[in-house]
Amino acid sequence: QVQLVESGGGLVQAGGSLKLSCAASGLIFGITTMGWYRQAPGKERELVASSSSGSITNIADSVKGRFTISSDNIENTVYLQMNSLKPEDTAVYYCNAQPMYGRRGNYWGQGTQVTVSS
Protein backbone atom coordinates (compact mmCIF):
# COMPACT_ATOMS: atom_id res chain seq x y z
CA GLN A 1 0.00 0.00 0.00
CA VAL A 2 1.11 3.54 -0.72
CA GLN A 3 1.93 5.68 2.28
CA LEU A 4 3.18 9.26 2.41
CA VAL A 5 4.46 10.62 5.72
CA GLU A 6 5.17 14.33 5.93
CA SER A 7 7.19 16.28 8.46
CA GLY A 8 8.95 19.61 8.90
CA GLY A 9 6.12 22.10 9.16
CA GLY A 10 6.03 24.76 11.82
CA LEU A 11 5.93 28.44 12.69
CA VAL A 12 8.61 30.78 11.37
CA GLN A 13 9.10 34.51 10.95
CA ALA A 14 9.13 36.16 7.55
CA GLY A 15 12.49 35.67 5.88
CA GLY A 16 13.10 32.37 7.62
CA SER A 17 13.46 28.88 6.21
CA LEU A 18 11.87 25.47 6.58
CA LYS A 19 12.53 22.11 4.99
CA LEU A 20 9.61 19.75 4.48
CA SER A 21 10.08 16.02 4.08
CA CYS A 22 7.83 13.38 2.57
CA ALA A 23 8.79 9.76 3.11
CA ALA A 24 7.13 7.48 0.55
CA SER A 25 6.56 3.76 0.65
CA GLY A 26 4.80 1.31 -1.64
CA LEU A 27 5.97 3.14 -4.77
CA ILE A 28 8.48 2.61 -7.54
CA PHE A 29 10.05 5.93 -6.70
CA GLY A 30 11.99 6.46 -9.92
CA ILE A 31 8.88 6.35 -12.11
CA THR A 32 6.55 8.25 -9.80
CA THR A 33 5.86 11.95 -10.11
CA MET A 34 6.21 13.55 -6.69
CA GLY A 35 4.84 16.96 -5.86
CA TRP A 36 4.11 19.48 -3.17
CA TYR A 37 0.79 21.31 -3.05
CA ARG A 38 -0.52 23.87 -0.61
CA GLN A 39 -3.88 25.19 0.44
CA ALA A 40 -4.27 28.52 2.19
CA PRO A 41 -7.41 29.50 4.13
CA GLY A 42 -10.21 30.36 1.72
CA LYS A 43 -8.23 29.28 -1.32
CA GLU A 44 -8.06 26.20 -3.52
CA ARG A 45 -5.22 23.76 -3.36
CA GLU A 46 -2.40 24.72 -5.73
CA LEU A 47 0.74 23.11 -7.05
CA VAL A 48 3.95 24.41 -5.50
CA ALA A 49 6.55 22.14 -7.05
CA SER A 50 6.81 18.73 -8.69
CA SER A 51 9.51 16.35 -9.80
CA SER A 52 9.32 13.53 -12.33
CA SER A 53 11.95 10.80 -12.38
CA GLY A 54 13.88 12.88 -9.88
CA SER A 55 15.12 15.23 -12.59
CA ILE A 56 12.30 17.01 -14.42
CA THR A 57 11.05 19.72 -12.08
CA ASN A 58 8.29 22.29 -12.15
CA ILE A 59 8.23 25.26 -9.77
CA ALA A 60 5.33 27.65 -9.36
CA ASP A 61 6.09 31.25 -10.28
CA SER A 62 5.06 32.44 -6.82
CA VAL A 63 7.88 30.50 -5.17
CA LYS A 64 10.46 30.32 -7.95
CA GLY A 65 13.87 31.34 -6.70
CA ARG A 66 12.89 30.68 -3.09
CA PHE A 67 11.74 27.05 -3.00
CA THR A 68 13.57 23.97 -4.22
CA ILE A 69 12.30 20.42 -4.64
CA SER A 70 14.72 17.53 -4.33
CA SER A 71 14.65 13.81 -3.66
CA ASP A 72 16.67 11.03 -2.13
CA ASN A 73 16.08 7.87 -4.14
CA ILE A 74 17.82 5.69 -1.57
CA GLU A 75 15.51 6.81 1.24
CA ASN A 76 12.48 7.30 -1.07
CA THR A 77 12.02 10.79 0.31
CA VAL A 78 11.14 14.05 -1.40
CA TYR A 79 11.99 17.41 0.12
CA LEU A 80 10.82 20.97 -0.22
CA GLN A 81 13.40 23.52 0.87
CA MET A 82 11.66 26.82 1.55
CA ASN A 83 13.75 29.96 1.92
CA SER A 84 12.86 33.63 2.26
CA LEU A 85 9.43 32.72 3.51
CA LYS A 86 6.63 35.25 3.28
CA PRO A 87 3.34 35.48 5.18
CA GLU A 88 1.55 34.60 1.92
CA ASP A 89 3.26 31.21 2.04
CA THR A 90 1.16 30.30 5.06
CA ALA A 91 -0.82 27.18 4.16
CA VAL A 92 -1.23 23.49 4.73
CA TYR A 93 1.34 21.76 2.56
CA TYR A 94 0.54 18.35 1.07
CA CYS A 95 2.77 15.71 -0.44
CA ASN A 96 1.41 14.08 -3.60
CA ALA A 97 2.45 10.97 -5.50
CA GLN A 98 1.32 9.91 -8.97
CA PRO A 99 2.78 6.59 -10.14
CA MET A 100 3.53 6.59 -13.85
CA TYR A 101 3.00 2.85 -14.10
CA GLY A 102 0.35 0.21 -13.53
CA ARG A 103 -3.02 1.65 -12.57
CA ARG A 104 -1.62 5.17 -12.11
CA GLY A 105 -3.11 6.21 -8.81
CA ASN A 106 -3.11 9.58 -7.07
CA TYR A 107 -2.05 9.65 -3.43
CA TRP A 108 -1.86 12.35 -0.78
CA GLY A 109 -0.12 12.84 2.52
CA GLN A 110 -1.90 14.07 5.62
CA GLY A 111 -0.68 17.65 5.24
CA THR A 112 1.60 19.74 7.43
CA GLN A 113 0.94 23.29 8.58
CA VAL A 114 3.36 26.05 7.64
CA THR A 115 2.74 29.42 9.29
CA VAL A 116 4.84 32.48 8.48
CA SER A 117 4.47 35.48 10.78
CA SER A 118 5.19 39.09 9.87
Side-chain angles (χ1 to χ4, degrees):
Q1 293 183 337
V2 175
Q3 185 176 13
L4 305 175
V5 181
E6 298 159 298
S7 62
L11 173 65
V12 298
Q13 290 185 318
S17 298
L18 283 174
K19 187 174 184 178
L20 306 183
S21 299
C22 174
S25 61
L27 295 166
I28 304 177
F29 201 69
I31 50 177
T32 297
T33 297
M34 303 296 299
W36 288 96
Y37 291 72
R38 69 184 182 186
Q39 187 167 19
K43 296 184 178 181
E44 295 184 351
R45 190 172 300 183
E46 64 176 352
L47 175 67
V48 178
S50 65
S51 178
S52 298
S53 301
S55 59
I56 307 300
T57 60
N58 182 33
I59 309 295
D61 289 340
S62 59
V63 303
K64 191 171 297 182
R66 300 187 297 118
F67 291 10
T68 303
I69 188 170
S70 62
S71 61
D72 185 334
N73 290 341
I74 301 301
E75 298 293 334
N76 285 1
T77 302
V78 63
Y79 304 95
L80 184 68
Q81 178 65 53
M82 305 184 295
N83 299 324
S84 302
L85 284 162
K86 305 175 181 179
E88 63 192 83
D89 295 319
T90 296
V92 177
Y93 284 70
Y94 297 90
C95 181
N96 174 261
Q98 299 181 43
M100 296 294 115
Y101 60 93
R103 295 181 178 181
R104 298 199 175 192
N106 188 20
Y107 304 95
W108 296 92
Q110 79 284 357
T112 183
Q113 177 71 48
V114 172
T115 303
V116 184
S117 62
S118 300

